[in-house]
Amino acid sequence: MKLKAVFLPVAGLIVLLMGSWSFKPERAPVARKPNIILIVSDDLGYGDVGFNGQTKIQTPNLDRMAAEGLVFRQQYAGTAVCGPSRAALLTGIHTAHATVRELSEWSLNGKPADLLPSDVTVAEELKRAGYQTGMIGKWGLDEGGTTGNALAQGFDYFYGFKTHREAHHYYPEYLWQNNEKVLLPGNDCARKIGTYSNDTFASQALTFIQKHRDGPFFLYLPFTLPHNELTVPDDSKQPYQTLGWPERPMKVAHYHHDPDGNLAYAGMVSRLDRYVGQIMAELKKQKLDENTLIMFTSDNGPGFDDGFFDSNGPFRGKKFQLYEGGIRVPFVARWPGTIKAGSVTSHACAFWDFLPTVCELAGVRPSATIDGISYLPTLLGKPKAQKRHDFFYWEINEREGPIQAVVMGAWKGIRFYEKPFELYNLRTDPGETANLADQHPEVVARLKAVMTETRTEHPEFPLTKRKARY
């Protein structure tokens, strides 16, 4: 009610004010828990976005996220390939201890690399805090069709690809909605016609936001862009067709690529950016903007670029490698009114830090033993309250493996199978150009000890040389 104070006698005004001072509510108002949206791209490099220096590919919506939010300069993926990287993201446990350490094709006996009932995901934790949970896009942790099912791992709603090989094609015959196949009539992978799968993911995400606008909700939104195969509708390639770029012819085999890889790749990244813009617009439309933390990252380093796009930015390496280019990924967080706009942090964090971060935000403690540390203080602009890791650990066995890596402060150590140890000072040499192993044997010994001591054995993922079971 608006008070017309100019017409009140002075005494009456004083009485009114005294009454308001003496009023004591029965209980303090409960703060509304924020909605949480995590968007994950697939094989997008650190340097593929404008806010990290990309000049050829247009990413205006992601750049706006950065201008209105916080950019992390040293965020690490779970590892350098999708499945185990996503497992680390969802469970808060890195590959030294994880249930999923490789894709199924690289397990010792070919057993499906799935999450188990004993794994506690971020969705399960947030449900304890009263959140509605949705997973839309590429799951990739249900290879065996049993315990890894997203609905068995804390998600109320699932739409997308269950397995990583299903996600290799953009015009699939079907997608999954919960446990039912949804046929996509008219789709033809080879001819690349029909419904573009990621368009449906974006549409489903908007519907999920609308349906759960009263919140709180957690939406995990892992698109498959710009993973192979390289194909995208023509409207996303159009802005790049007259720029005179060198063509990159693509061979068609398992992946039904478009003829020119450079045009397709740029168009895929820009289409992904378009989806991000649609989601931010929907949040504003639903008046959820200031009560939603939205984050964007990638599951590992780039898998396509041959140098034309500088997809790995200033770093060495790419997907399947544990050099910085394979595991350091773009990361931006936006929360209007809470996160300071246009801010940048050098705080080092990793995928396994996501779970404790949102748990702290939601007011619950992780119910399992994890490797992660919450970076909520960094999000809130309180660097003095931020705890830091003693070290970060990764392993991978695909193609060049087994490989282990540890980052401890400025030092980065990489141990290859039956090859010399590599040591880099990331503070002075972020591009990992100068191997200092011979000059610092004491640092090498310390990092080797960490690699050995922190790792627990897993019968399907020993550190032995092996080939994929394709």
Side-chain angles (χ1 to χ4, degrees):
M1 179 179 68
K2 294 181 180 179
L3 298 176
K4 298 181 179 180
V6 292
F7 297 109
L8 287 173
V10 174
L13 179 60
I14 293 174
V15 170
L16 176 65
L17 293 175
M18 289 179 65
S20 66
W21 292 336
S22 62
F23 173 73
K24 294 182 180 179
E26 293 183 4
R27 64 181 66 182
V30 177
R32 186 179 177 189
K33 293 179 180 179
N35 305 309
I36 301 165
I37 299 177
L38 177 63
I39 303 172
V40 179
S41 54
D42 199 341
D43 290 5
L44 185 80
Y46 179 93
D48 276 329
V49 291
F51 65 80
N52 278 345
Q54 178 58 229
T55 59
K56 294 183 176 72
I57 304 174
Q58 301 170 19
T59 58
N61 294 296
L62 287 167
D63 297 344
R64 181 163 67 90
M65 268 193 75
E68 297 174 355
L70 170 65
V71 173
F72 285 73
R73 294 298 188 205
Q74 196 175 356
Q75 146 111 333
Y76 289 110
T79 188
V81 70
C82 61
S85 184
R86 294 160 193 263
L89 175 72
L90 291 167
T91 65
I93 299 172
H94 58 59
T95 47
H97 317 296
T99 298
V100 179
R101 306 190 192 186
E102 293 293 341
L103 299 178
S104 301
E105 290 89 342
W106 290 87
S107 65
L108 184 63
N109 298 301
K111 291 184 178 180
D114 289 344
L115 294 178
L116 299 176
S118 57
D119 290 312
V120 182
T121 70
V122 63
E124 291 175 285
E125 301 288 26
L126 290 177
K127 280 187 68 65
R128 293 194 296 114
Y131 279 70
Q132 293 294 305
T133 58
M135 152 61 222
I136 299 170
K138 177 181 173 179
W139 179 242
L141 294 167
D142 189 19
E143 303 295 311
T146 55
T147 61
N149 189 297
L151 299 178
Q153 295 291 339
F155 286 97
D156 299 312
Y157 179 73
F158 167 68
Y159 181 91
F161 296 112
K162 286 186 177 183
T163 70
H164 79 280
R165 290 186 73 82
E166 286 176 321
H168 284 184
H169 300 295
Y170 286 87
Y171 295 93
E173 295 179 5
Y174 65 87
L175 291 166
W176 291 94
Q177 186 170 40
N178 296 323
N179 286 321
E180 301 295 328
K181 278 187 178 180
V182 177
L183 298 180
L184 301 175
N187 272 30
D188 188 314
C189 289
R191 295 166 62 200
K192 289 168 285 186
I193 59 174
T195 301
Y196 195 67
S197 58
N198 282 250
D199 286 355
T200 71
F201 299 157
S203 177
Q204 286 278 327
L206 300 182
T207 299
F208 184 89
I209 292 169
Q210 295 160 8
K211 184 176 180 180
H212 300 286
R213 64 182 307 276
D214 293 332
F217 66 78
F218 166 53
L219 174 58
Y220 174 43
L221 185 54
F223 290 101
T224 60
L225 294 162
H227 189 288
N228 286 346
E229 62 197 5
L230 297 180
T231 185
V232 72
D234 288 342
D235 64 308
S236 289
K237 290 185 283 189
Q238 190 276 331
Y240 304 104
Q241 288 177 330
T242 60
L243 300 181
W245 286 356
E247 291 186 4
R248 185 172 173 183
M250 304 298 293
K251 294 181 180 180
V252 175
H254 169 70
Y255 294 118
H256 303 293
H257 297 300
D258 288 354
D260 185 346
N262 284 338
L263 281 180
Y265 189 79
M268 293 168 84
V269 175
S270 286
R271 200 172 191 89
L272 172 66
D273 180 82
R274 182 197 301 180
Y275 300 145
V276 173
Q278 291 171 353
I279 291 163
M280 289 195 293
E282 188 63 33
L283 291 174
K284 190 169 185 178
K285 178 181 177 181
Q286 298 296 334
K287 296 181 172 53
L288 298 174
D289 216 26
E290 294 189 357
N291 196 49
T292 302
L293 169 61
I294 179 172
M295 293 172 276
F296 175 90
T297 190
S298 177
D299 64 343
N300 48 248
F304 164 75
D305 187 30
D306 60 358
F308 178 70
F309 293 113
D310 290 327
S311 289
N312 54 2
F315 305 116
R316 174 185 180 182
K318 56 184 179 179
K319 181 179 180 178
F320 303 124
Q321 298 177 334
L322 296 184
Y323 295 113
E324 292 292 284
I327 54 176
R328 196 183 295 207
V329 290
F331 184 34
V332 59
R334 174 183 179 270
W335 187 0
T338 300
I339 291 178
K340 182 181 178 181
S343 51
V344 177
T345 179
S346 60
H347 173 65
C349 61
F351 268 21
W352 46 96
D353 296 329
F354 175 70
L355 183 148
T357 300
V358 297
C359 279
E360 183 177 3
L361 187 62
V364 294
R365 291 181 178 274
S367 57
T369 300
I370 61 172
D371 297 308
I373 295 175
S374 169
Y375 48 74
L376 184 60
T378 296
L379 293 178
L380 300 180
K382 300 177 180 179
K384 291 183 179 180
Q386 180 63 63
K387 296 180 180 179
R388 288 170 170 77
H389 285 281
D390 294 330
F391 65 88
F392 297 90
Y393 174 95
W394 302 266
E395 64 181 61
I396 191 170
N397 210 322
E398 293 216 17
R399 301 191 181 186
E400 301 177 23
I403 312 170
Q404 293 172 282
V406 164
V407 167
M408 182 181 290
W411 293 110
K412 166 86 171 283
I414 307 177
R415 178 158 63 184
F416 294 88
Y417 184 73
E418 296 182 344
K419 291 182 180 180
F421 195 89
E422 296 183 12
L423 178 70
Y424 302 98
N425 187 321
L426 296 180
R427 192 166 295 148
T428 59
D429 180 26
E432 296 168 291
T433 62
N435 183 1
L436 304 177
D438 291 341
Q439 301 174 35
H440 298 279
E442 74 290 349
V443 177
V444 170
R446 192 187 330 154
L447 296 182
K448 284 183 175 179
V450 170
M451 291 176 182
T452 300
E453 293 166 3
T454 193
R455 189 178 192 274
T456 57
E457 292 299 323
H458 191 295
E460 286 298 318
F461 307 112
L463 293 175
T464 58
K465 197 73 175 177
R466 52 187 180 271
K467 294 181 180 180
R469 295 172 175 268
Y470 290 113

